Amino acid sequence: MCGIVGYVGPDEALPIIMEGLRRLEYRGYDSAGVAVIDGRMTVVKRAGKLSELAGALESQAITGRAGMGHTRWATHGVPNDVNAHPHLDCDERVAVIHNGIIENFQDLRDELTKAGHILVSDTDTECVAHLLEDAYHGDLADAVRAVLPRLTGAYALVVTHTDDPGVIVGAKVSSPLVVGLGHGENLLASDIPALLQRTRTVVPVAENQVVEVRQDSVRITDLEGNDVAVQPMEVGWELAAAEKGGFDDFMLKEIHEQPTAIRDTLRGRIDKRGNLFLDELKMSEDQIRDFGKVFVVACGTSYHAGLVAKYAIEHWVRIPVEIDIASEFRYRDPVLDTTTMTLAVSQSGETIDTLEAVRHAIHQGSHVIAVTNTVGSSIAREAAGVLYTHAGPERGVAGTKTFVTQMAALYVLALYLAQVRGEMYPAEIAEHVESLRQLPRQVEAAIALEGQVKELAGRYYQAPDILFIGRHTGFPAALEGALKLKEISYLHAEGYPAGELKHGPIALIEDGVPVVAVATDCHVYPKVLSNIQEVKARGARVIAVATEGDERIGALADHVLFVPRTYELLSPVTVTVPLQLFAYHIAKLRGCDVDQPRNLAKSVTVE
């Protein structure tokens, strides 16, 4: 949450900062602000979306070749002009922008107030500016290093000072921060898309590091001031990949990108004979054979992908899998050791709950594998191995292509474990691999259902409630369908295991209530039909997602969306697509902003 951009170079900073913020607005959009230095500090900030700030800047002639900007997702203090970042010290010589939470801010605030500092906002961030005011003695990086030990929490900071106008200093403690290396210019940002306008050479800032960005140099140190080697890496994303590409919204564009994203995720991990290669797991085959249990930790959409992984690993690998909401994992005191593997699934690789779960698992001796879309992210760096989902940048807050690529990557992982442990014959694995290779084509066919889905959305977008039901792998698909609808349309929706209906949720069924049933061909298909009959008998309107060629479902459901036939464990990938489109079109009919749903941010970096 929160977008950060900083620039030092030969060009005017403000246009570069604003363009970077536009690419990061998905990280927070309840207020925004900029600070530009040109002999003095000029700060402009506004509540609301970035367009409000852009409008305020139109009437001002702000120049300067160093500066920074911020787009906010509120944690402390309501979204208003005063609480927007940047925040200043008493003399308005220090400016601070911040992503994350300073947990001990109230104690710091009380201390600063007693010392005579005047704080004007309700934020935790402002305390940092005043601490830096006291700590600054001519070297901004030294001041930052002096202040960081006093801060408790998970955060990234970027600061400027009018007495040191040629440098921007950043610090990373759990929240993401990336340097962009340009030609005669350098940048800082909380996420890579903000940098692509100027460079594709980046340096992820590691945990507990301080970075000094100048026009002609970048210096990284640890908290003691010791130099750390700068290790650049190249980003393969094209700038156009972060734009809408002719679609009305990023979400719709990213739904249509799913076939390509799946192909990219599978590429390079499977040979022509169907053998799998996952050197990036960084573990020996003996280690893999010794594992006795797998834990999966994730949040939100990633949790639903993890549920699918549980089914696949237990069925193919025949070892038990426990799955936890990451925010609950370490608090239940799970039993982990060197014979356990922990899969941490996170689109951004910065989800703080999942990151803390990773740290707990590492502390207990578990071998941690990250499944993420973001190269160089915190979870990727702290895990023993990484399985990247090559989805490219995803600008829509509601995960779509990152969800299907998470499932694809986890299927590959499950089959690889089965291959190494000898749980399936090579011919069986090759058969399943071929099913994986068919997924992009099948997803294309599912996307082609959009016209039918849009018509259904027109029928049901005013419904007060919609229930989603499924069994076996249909259950996580139902959960994801309900989550997407809640996230972007604000319509109440719930996903249930269909067998649980009679244990309570069926009381919600009355005449006309829409029920979306995941009813693809599977070993529990007859039971799903029985559950559909249960809700139909009580007046529900049933929308079924079924397998092409199914001749039985039409007699029970009011509407049927037919998806291509695929192997049972892989079916959530194809089923998810019409559910994404259903949520999208309902949200559009309800006048909602599908790319920036209220109260949500793309990357949740506070507990």
Side-chain angles (χ1 to χ4, degrees):
M1 63 183 58
C2 301
I4 289 173
V5 182
Y7 173 82
V8 184
D11 296 334
E12 288 294 335
L14 184 59
I16 296 168
I17 292 167
M18 290 298 292
E19 180 59 26
L21 290 180
R22 289 186 187 96
R23 300 181 190 282
L24 293 184
E25 196 175 8
Y26 63 92
R27 293 183 63 93
Y29 36 84
D30 55 43
S31 59
V34 295
V36 179
I37 298 178
D38 187 13
R40 64 185 182 89
M41 183 89 68
T42 301
V43 173
V44 180
K45 49 188 186 174
R46 291 291 186 273
K49 294 189 177 183
L50 191 61
S51 58
E52 297 295 325
L53 175 63
L57 291 170
E58 286 179 358
S59 61
Q60 304 189 43
I62 298 175
T63 61
R65 290 172 172 78
M68 61 187 189
H70 185 270
T71 180
R72 182 174 184 246
W73 188 80
T75 54
H76 291 74
V78 299
N80 59 29
D81 289 357
V82 174
N83 289 330
H85 298 209
H87 289 284
L88 303 172
D89 67 324
C90 295
D91 297 327
E92 299 187 353
R93 302 178 73 80
V94 179
V96 178
I97 55 179
H98 164 221
N99 176 13
I101 285 180
I102 309 299
E103 294 175 354
N104 61 332
F105 86 100
Q106 192 59 58
D107 291 338
L108 295 171
R109 186 183 185 91
D110 293 344
E111 174 190 324
L112 289 162
T113 301
K114 289 177 182 177
H117 289 267
I118 299 173
L119 284 77
V120 299
S121 78
D122 300 318
T123 69
D124 51 346
T125 310
E126 190 182 2
C127 296
V128 181
H130 292 271
L131 291 172
L132 287 168
E133 178 184 355
D134 290 343
Y136 182 77
H137 301 292
D139 188 308
L140 187 56
D142 281 346
V144 170
R145 283 188 286 266
V147 166
L148 290 181
R150 303 202 57 197
L151 308 179
T152 301
Y155 53 85
L157 300 170
V158 177
V159 305
T160 61
H161 198 295
T162 55
D163 291 353
D164 207 350
V167 63
I168 296 174
V169 177
K172 172 190 163 56
V173 180
S174 293
S175 288
L177 197 62
V178 184
V179 178
L181 302 179
H183 299 289
E185 62 182 17
N186 291 298
L187 302 94
L188 265 176
S190 53
D191 209 351
I192 289 173
L195 306 173
L196 296 182
Q197 57 174 319
R198 309 294 289 193
T199 182
R200 285 196 277 173
T201 305
V202 304
V203 181
V205 181
E207 193 70 9
N208 294 318
Q209 289 185 345
V210 174
V211 56
E212 303 167 48
V213 175
R214 295 179 172 82
Q215 177 176 336
D216 56 359
S217 68
V218 169
R219 182 189 181 212
I220 299 178
T221 68
D222 59 21
L223 297 185
E224 286 71 46
N226 300 309
D227 285 322
V228 176
V230 175
Q231 298 180 334
M233 54 183 285
E234 294 296 319
V235 176
W237 302 343
E238 295 293 338
L239 185 58
E243 301 300 333
K244 292 181 182 177
F247 289 91
D248 290 340
D249 313 275
F250 283 111
M251 182 179 179
L252 187 59
K253 172 179 179 283
E254 288 153 7
I255 289 172
H256 281 258
E257 288 175 342
Q258 289 178 123
T260 298
I262 294 170
R263 289 187 186 98
D264 289 343
T265 298
L266 298 178
R267 185 174 292 120
R269 290 168 170 156
I270 305 168
D271 70 11
K272 294 180 180 179
R273 293 176 295 176
N275 295 318
L276 296 116
F277 298 92
L278 293 179
D279 293 339
E280 58 262 54
L281 300 187
K282 302 292 176 63
M283 56 184 175
S284 68
E285 293 191 355
D286 285 341
Q287 281 180 291
I288 292 172
R289 283 187 279 266
D290 287 342
F291 285 129
K293 180 180 280 190
V294 174
F295 289 83
V296 181
V297 291
C299 302
T301 286
S302 297
Y303 176 78
H304 301 156
L307 278 171
V308 175
K310 172 181 169 66
Y311 290 114
I313 293 171
E314 289 188 337
H315 182 70
W316 286 334
V317 190
R318 307 307 299 160
I319 56 177
V321 179
E322 292 189 31
I323 179 165
D324 282 79
I325 296 288
S327 57
E328 295 295 323
F329 179 66
R330 59 194 171 119
Y331 299 113
R332 73 171 177 86
D333 197 19
V335 181
L336 304 102
D337 57 27
T338 56
T339 67
T340 60
M341 175 194 293
T342 299
L343 300 179
V345 189
S346 167
Q347 173 273 138
S348 66
E350 302 291 350
T351 309
I352 190 63
D353 295 311
T354 309
L355 179 57
E356 291 298 337
V358 164
R359 289 168 175 166
H360 181 78
I362 292 171
H363 183 70
Q364 299 296 317
S366 182
H367 190 97
V368 176
I369 302 297
V371 180
T372 181
N373 190 48
T374 309
V375 175
S377 58
S378 296
I379 292 173
R381 291 199 303 275
E382 297 200 22
V386 187
L387 193 57
Y388 285 113
T389 59
H390 298 294
E394 186 176 66
R395 291 283 297 274
V397 167
T400 52
K401 63 177 178 174
T402 52
F403 176 57
V404 298
T405 55
Q406 283 172 349
M407 288 190 286
L410 289 163
Y411 289 137
V412 170
L413 173 62
L415 288 171
Y416 178 72
L417 297 178
Q419 174 183 287
V420 172
R421 293 169 68 98
E423 294 293 340
M424 285 194 286
Y425 293 112
E428 293 178 285
I429 293 176
E431 181 180 345
H432 291 311
V433 165
E434 182 56 32
S435 295
L436 283 175
R437 286 177 167 146
Q438 297 303 314
L439 281 176
R441 177 186 57 80
Q442 292 164 347
V443 169
E444 287 170 351
I447 291 171
L449 296 170
E450 185 172 3
Q452 298 175 52
V453 174
K454 187 174 182 180
E455 190 274 332
L456 288 175
R459 289 174 178 255
Y460 294 110
Y461 75 99
Q462 293 180 316
D465 307 277
I466 298 183
L467 301 184
F468 291 71
I469 60 173
R471 301 188 78 133
H472 194 242
T473 55
F475 169 49
L479 287 175
E480 179 63 11
L483 178 62
K484 281 294 154 287
L485 195 59
K486 282 184 280 196
E487 283 180 317
I488 64 171
S489 76
Y490 320 139
L491 191 157
H492 177 253
E494 297 296 338
Y496 292 104
E500 280 293 293
L501 282 171
K502 54 187 173 290
H503 297 287
I506 202 166
L508 300 173
I509 302 298
E510 58 186 6
D511 191 48
V513 170
V515 175
V516 178
V518 179
T520 48
D521 189 28
C522 63
H523 69 287
V524 290
Y525 175 73
K527 296 185 180 296
V528 176
L529 295 186
S530 296
N531 297 134
I532 291 174
Q533 289 173 321
E534 289 171 351
V535 296
K536 282 289 292 181
R538 290 159 178 82
R541 302 285 292 175
V542 175
I543 303 166
V545 183
T547 303
E548 287 177 346
D550 185 344
E551 298 179 355
R552 300 173 61 185
I553 192 68
L556 296 176
D558 298 281
H559 317 279
V560 184
L561 297 168
F562 288 108
V563 296
R565 178 177 300 277
T566 189
Y567 180 67
E568 180 176 344
L569 282 171
L570 308 187
S571 63
V573 176
T574 54
V575 167
T576 292
V577 176
L579 302 186
Q580 292 169 343
L581 290 166
F582 188 58
Y584 171 84
H585 285 292
I586 283 182
K588 294 291 285 186
L589 288 168
R590 292 168 67 90
C592 301
D593 185 338
V594 297
D595 286 338
Q596 298 177 353
R598 69 188 182 201
N599 301 333
L600 298 178
K602 186 64 177 173
S603 178
V604 179
T605 55
V606 293
E607 287 193 271

